[in-house]
Amino acid sequence: MKIIKQGRIRKDVDRIKKCKYCKTVFQYSSRDIIDLTVDGQELFDGVQCPVCEELIATSFLDKKVKADADFCGRH
């Protein structure tokens, strides 16, 4: 095997999601993503809400968590 052009491994970036059912705002990483498949066909990637446990679709458009600070909710 010969590498023609070397790429880069994407850095794992945590993202923020708001549950559309219970309105919980939470932070998730790529390790939290679940692949939803039916009859061998992938439907979507999602995360499970930590409060109501609903499966919510993820998107690359979900807001990224800044690298220098952890996400913390407003009080």
Side-chain angles (χ1 to χ4, degrees), residues 11 65-71:
K11 184 178 174 185
V65 175
K66 294 182 181 176
D68 58 345
D70 285 330
F71 174 77

Side-chain angles (χ1 to χ4, degrees), residues 19 21-26 47-56:
C19 178
Y21 300 101
C22 71
K23 309 301 183 214
T24 299
V25 178
F26 59 96
V47 290
Q48 193 170 24
C49 175
V51 175
C52 70
E53 299 182 352
E54 285 291 329
L55 189 60
I56 307 161

Side-chain angles (χ1 to χ4, degrees), residues 1-72:
M1 182 180 305
K2 180 179 178 182
I3 296 173
I4 305 300
K5 179 181 177 187
Q6 182 159 345
R8 294 181 294 154
I9 297 174
R10 289 182 11 186
K11 184 178 174 185
D12 186 21
V13 178
D14 286 358
R15 296 185 182 270
I16 297 171
K17 192 74 177 171
K18 182 176 182 179
C19 178
K20 61 184 175 184
Y21 300 101
C22 71
K23 309 301 183 214
T24 299
V25 178
F26 59 96
Q27 177 177 328
Y28 71 92
S29 70
S30 62
R31 295 180 306 274
D32 300 314
I33 296 175
I34 301 166
D35 296 327
L36 181 64
T37 58
V38 174
D39 294 332
Q41 299 229 346
E42 185 174 322
L43 299 179
F44 67 89
D45 292 339
V47 290
Q48 193 170 24
C49 175
V51 175
C52 70
E53 299 182 352
E54 285 291 329
L55 189 60
I56 307 161
T58 58
S59 169
F60 68 94
L61 299 175
D62 289 345
K63 185 176 179 181
K64 294 180 182 178
V65 175
K66 294 182 181 176
D68 58 345
D70 285 330
F71 174 77
C72 60

